[in-house]
Each structure stands twice: as C-alpha cells, then as structure tokens.
Amino acid sequence: MEFAGFNRLTLTDYPGHLSAIVFARGCNFRCPYCHNAEIAYLNGDEERFDESEVLSYLEKRKKMVSSIVITGGEPTLDRELLPFIRRLKNLGVSVKLDTNGYRPDVIERALDEGLLDYIAMDIKNSRERYPQSVGLKSLDFSYIERSIALVMTSAIDYEFRTTLVRELHDEKSIHGIGSLIEGSKVLFLQSFAISENVPDKSLNPPTVSDMENYRKILSNYIENVSIRIK
C-alpha cells in the first residue's frame, strides 16, 4: 500500500494511544470543505510513502509506538488496505481506521476478520443534504446506512464525527444527523477550519453558539456528544 503522508507520532488521533498515522491516497467524495484536498484529489504533487517504510518504523519502535491510525483520503478505496492491516496485526499493532463509510463491504470484511481495534466514521449531514456535503450530484445512501449499522453493532470502540459548516448545516439537518445514528455511543462535532487547501473558499465555520446549540440537539439522540477542538 502506498501513502500520501506518514506522521511518525500523534497524540490526538487515537484516543488513549501514542500512534503513528498514515494518509491513504485518493477519495470517492469531493467535500467542498475538505482539509486534505491535495491528498483526496491526487494532483500528482503529493509525497509518497511505501508501506515497507511504515512497517519497518513500527517494528523498530513498537515498544513506544504500538498503534496506528489509517486515514486519508479514503483508505477503503485501496485494495491493499486489508493485506496491509493483516501485516500490522502480525506485528502486534493496534489499528484505528478513519472512513467515510461509502464502502461497507470493506468495513465488514475488516470487522469480521478482527483487523480493527477502533473505527471512526464521518457523518457528513442529513440524508437529504448528503450529496451536497460530499460534492456529488447523487449517491447510494444505502451504503452509508449499512456502514452506520456495521459500526454501531461492532464489538470494538467507535466514534462518529461531523464537521460543521455554516452554509451546509442548520437545525433541520442536525436533527437529520441525529436520526441517522440515534442510539449510538459517541459523536464528535468539529468546526470547519478555513485554510488554503479547502476547495471552496466561500465556506465559513459555524458560530460558537450554533455549535453548542447543535450539540444540545444531538444529545437527544446520542449518548455522548462532544465538541472536539483541533
């Protein structure tokens, strides 16, 4: 497997773990607020790291760094993802997978094989506003629903997370998000951050009061809703 980024140490991306993090190349969504657009769009200028470099690092440092976050881009697009995770597990590495949930078959195989220790799935918006939020004219929403069910019924730790954008989210769509993952254990809300890499420069973060209002609304549906500051 080949990566567009490899950070050898992160304290914040895997709860309770000192981890390495790798960034998979490419994505099947075109979110207008994406902060990793250069990785998702693959313009050809991104760095490349081979999995052998990652595995070698983890093998040498496993007494200190015994976990990894696989993010992106969208990792489930790469047909080498599961073989790579199998090699990680053979080293005794704990694995967290970040995903947009649009390839439930891959998620299901990874869970069935016991390859994952933690999974984080993005919930972009309500059903009605999902295409707008992921930059597509249409999508098969049953894939998202199936992945939500897989995550919620898995035997591993998980989180859902939503990046809030002033132009894309309102109280109605927030209620829609709550309905999608009602009864789930945890949802993290994070604010859209303006940066040079964001595709749509016209977008804005929500206000602090809107963030708190949305958190309160979602707390009626979800056990633990927190605002994550990055």
Side-chain angles (χ1 to χ4, degrees):
M1 191 170 177
E2 195 173 58
F3 304 100
F6 173 32
N7 292 347
R8 287 158 178 78
L9 202 60
T10 173
L11 301 172
T12 59
D13 291 270
Y14 189 165
H17 288 256
L18 189 67
S19 306
I21 182 169
V22 289
F23 297 82
R25 303 174 68 250
C27 187
N28 43 7
F29 288 169
R30 289 294 181 265
C31 302
Y33 52 89
C34 181
H35 66 283
N36 276 340
E38 73 281 7
I39 293 173
Y41 292 9
L42 293 183
N43 58 20
D45 297 329
E46 71 279 355
E47 292 185 88
R48 299 193 181 192
F49 298 87
D50 187 79
E51 70 168 57
S52 60
E53 182 177 348
V54 178
L55 293 169
S56 175
Y57 169 80
L58 289 169
E59 188 166 22
K60 291 175 182 176
R61 305 291 197 285
K62 59 185 176 183
K63 288 186 178 179
M64 182 180 72
V65 184
S66 59
S67 59
I68 190 169
V69 178
I70 306 174
T71 188
E74 176 48 44
T76 61
L77 290 176
D78 197 312
R79 63 183 182 181
E80 291 299 317
L81 174 65
L82 297 187
F84 172 63
I85 298 178
R86 292 184 192 109
R87 288 187 274 276
L88 289 169
K89 301 306 287 184
N90 286 338
L91 291 177
V93 173
S94 180
V95 177
K96 172 180 179 266
L97 177 69
D98 292 350
T99 180
N100 62 28
Y102 206 57
R103 297 204 68 199
D105 287 348
V106 178
I107 294 171
E108 185 171 35
R109 289 201 302 273
L111 291 171
D112 285 348
E113 284 192 44
L115 297 178
L116 304 179
D117 301 280
Y118 194 108
I119 186 166
M121 178 178 166
D122 292 326
I123 303 296
K124 305 293 186 179
N125 213 323
S126 62
R127 176 194 295 264
E128 294 76 18
R129 299 190 73 172
Y130 232 88
Q132 177 190 14
S133 295
V134 301
L136 301 178
K137 292 182 178 179
S138 64
L139 77 164
D140 188 337
F141 199 74
S142 69
Y143 293 168
I144 301 297
E145 292 177 312
R146 186 175 161 208
S147 290
I148 289 171
L150 286 167
V151 170
M152 287 181 62
T153 58
S154 69
I156 64 173
D157 289 332
Y158 71 85
E159 68 182 58
F160 293 111
R161 56 195 188 180
T162 298
T163 299
L164 295 170
V165 183
R166 188 185 307 175
E167 290 79 6
L168 297 176
H169 299 94
D170 54 25
E171 287 193 4
K172 182 179 179 181
S173 63
I174 293 299
H175 279 288
I177 290 171
S179 297
L180 283 176
I181 56 172
E182 187 169 7
S184 59
K185 292 188 293 187
V186 61
L187 170 66
F188 286 104
L189 301 176
Q190 51 201 35
S191 176
F192 162 68
I194 299 170
S195 74
E196 292 182 1
N197 294 327
V198 173
D200 188 343
K201 304 294 191 296
S202 71
L203 298 177
N204 294 282
T207 65
V208 173
S209 60
D210 279 342
M211 291 279 290
E212 179 58 22
N213 180 38
Y214 296 158
R215 187 195 67 77
K216 289 179 179 178
I217 291 172
L218 288 161
S219 294
N220 294 312
Y221 298 90
I222 297 146
E223 185 177 330
N224 184 0
V225 184
S226 301
I227 295 173
R228 177 177 276 163
I229 307 297
K230 282 204 168 185

